[in-house]
Amino acid sequence: FHKDGFLVLEQFFSAEECDSMRRQIQRIVAEMEVPPHCRTAFSTREEEQLQAQGSSDYFLTSGDKIRFFFEKGVLDEKGNFLVPKERSISKIGHALHAHDPVFKQITHSPKVQELGRKLGLERPVVVQSMYIFKQPGIGGEVTPHQDATFLHTEPLGRVVGFWIALEDATQENGCLWFIPGSHTNGITRRMVRAASGASTCVEFVGSEPAYDDKQFIPLPISKGGLILIHGEVVHKSELNSSESSRHAFTFHVMEAKGTTWSKENWLQPTPELPFPSLYT
């Protein structure tokens, strides 16, 4: 983990644990009510990000709620679904770990806490969580990025992502790709809250360098596997052009000891939901 910036732990969660998360998300999607004006397409392309999430209070205030974000091309101009809603959704975020009993139990499971201790985390807190669908045929690409662009701390190096494969993640259905060792060069881009009165709620400072595709290595992983992701490691995933989905549950943990969470981050703890301790 320290050398490469990521670590693959196969079979970290059981098939039963994965299936319980999938069943729970089916229930959540079945009950989903999103007003058409709040339906935004999720994107990692900078200009689309600023346009969709950046202009949306629905995104900006989702840190302490369970909110829904959609794939590109699944909504008409009025925000009506062009495909069944369960096939339209890109991700659900960003507080499943706090508000849903199944995801809370997984996030704080004894083996996750033990792993935190093995990583040397003294006062880890959970800052966000997401359920990612990567829909068959339309699951959008995630462009090369570093999580610290969006979750900035002083000093850097205090954020770790836990990425759980709820189905086999393959090169065909959009597994993660990493540049080994790329977590040692700092960051060049940040997404920050824009000044009040700006046309978007967030803006980017700096730019993402052009990465050499040949540097990336794929990390296929079986259902139940866990990938640990250093906050500064460069990673991406390709479009899912296969006929199978690639569901994943992911959450981010920050070492709170001696760390300042940037006031400019889009995601902020709230009185309703201060960042909960990983250790129970």
Side-chain angles (χ1 to χ4, degrees), residues 81-97:
F81 293 112
L82 298 169
V83 299
K85 68 178 183 179
E86 63 276 5
R87 291 291 295 268
S88 69
I89 195 155
S90 166
K91 67 172 208 171
I92 297 176
H94 289 91
L96 286 160
H97 63 280

Side-chain angles (χ1 to χ4, degrees), residues 35-63:
H37 71 276
C38 291
R39 294 175 190 164
T40 57
F42 183 74
S43 173
T44 59
R45 294 197 171 278
E46 189 165 303
E47 60 282 4
E48 291 173 355
Q49 228 169 13
L50 291 174
Q51 195 183 347
Q53 291 105 282
S55 59
S56 163
D57 267 348
Y58 185 78
F59 170 78
L60 208 61
T61 57
S62 64

Side-chain angles (χ1 to χ4, degrees), residues 71-112:
E71 292 288 359
K72 278 191 288 196
V74 301
L75 303 166
D76 67 15
E77 312 78 70
K78 294 179 180 161
N80 299 313
F81 293 112
L82 298 169
V83 299
K85 68 178 183 179
E86 63 276 5
R87 291 291 295 268
S88 69
I89 195 155
S90 166
K91 67 172 208 171
I92 297 176
H94 289 91
L96 286 160
H97 63 280
H99 295 317
D100 183 90
V102 172
F103 292 99
K104 187 175 193 173
Q105 187 178 359
I106 292 288
T107 303
H108 296 279
S109 59
K111 50 193 166 191
V112 168

Side-chain angles (χ1 to χ4, degrees), residues 63-64 97-99 125-127 268-277:
D64 60 356
H97 63 280
H99 295 317
V125 295
V126 186
V127 298
Q268 294 295 328
T270 62
E272 295 75 31
L273 183 61
F275 294 152
S277 170

Side-chain angles (χ1 to χ4, degrees), residues 27-249:
R27 283 194 282 270
I28 289 171
V29 171
E31 294 166 11
M32 165 178 84
E33 290 295 337
V34 183
H37 71 276
C38 291
R39 294 175 190 164
T40 57
F42 183 74
S43 173
T44 59
R45 294 197 171 278
E46 189 165 303
E47 60 282 4
E48 291 173 355
Q49 228 169 13
L50 291 174
Q51 195 183 347
Q53 291 105 282
S55 59
S56 163
D57 267 348
Y58 185 78
F59 170 78
L60 208 61
T61 57
S62 64
D64 60 356
K65 300 176 186 71
I66 295 176
R67 293 259 171 98
F68 304 88
F69 304 92
F70 299 93
E71 292 288 359
K72 278 191 288 196
V74 301
L75 303 166
D76 67 15
E77 312 78 70
K78 294 179 180 161
N80 299 313
F81 293 112
L82 298 169
V83 299
K85 68 178 183 179
E86 63 276 5
R87 291 291 295 268
S88 69
I89 195 155
S90 166
K91 67 172 208 171
I92 297 176
H94 289 91
L96 286 160
H97 63 280
H99 295 317
D100 183 90
V102 172
F103 292 99
K104 187 175 193 173
Q105 187 178 359
I106 292 288
T107 303
H108 296 279
S109 59
K111 50 193 166 191
V112 168
Q113 297 191 41
E114 183 192 356
L115 186 53
R117 293 192 169 95
K118 284 182 175 168
L119 288 167
L121 300 174
E122 292 183 54
R123 281 206 294 124
V125 295
V126 186
V127 298
Q128 71 158 5
S129 57
M130 292 182 287
Y131 191 104
I132 303 166
F133 291 80
K134 204 76 165 176
Q135 299 282 4
I138 59 168
E141 68 169 328
V142 176
T143 53
H145 68 285
Q146 298 163 289
D147 293 342
T149 285
F150 309 95
L151 310 172
H152 192 267
T153 59
E154 300 277 347
L156 281 171
R158 301 304 177 93
V159 170
V160 181
F162 289 68
W163 192 97
I164 306 158
L166 304 185
E167 301 177 278
D168 293 351
T170 65
Q171 288 195 46
E172 291 69 43
N173 72 1
C175 70
L176 299 180
W177 294 66
F178 288 81
I179 300 180
S182 56
H183 61 302
T184 58
N185 305 324
I187 61 169
T188 57
R189 184 174 75 127
R190 286 183 60 191
M191 186 170 96
V192 299
R193 286 181 172 241
S196 59
S199 60
T200 57
C201 305
V202 292
E203 60 192 10
F204 283 97
V205 179
S207 59
E208 204 68 49
Y211 297 108
D212 178 357
D213 267 350
K214 293 194 282 293
Q215 289 185 287
F216 284 92
I217 63 161
L219 253 59
I221 188 166
S222 304
K223 174 179 176 175
L226 170 70
I227 302 178
L228 283 178
I229 304 174
H230 188 285
E232 281 100 85
V233 74
V234 178
H235 58 292
K236 67 173 184 175
S237 66
E238 304 292 346
L239 175 78
N240 179 6
S241 51
S242 79
E243 291 177 10
S244 57
S245 55
R246 191 224 67 189
H247 287 210
F249 176 59

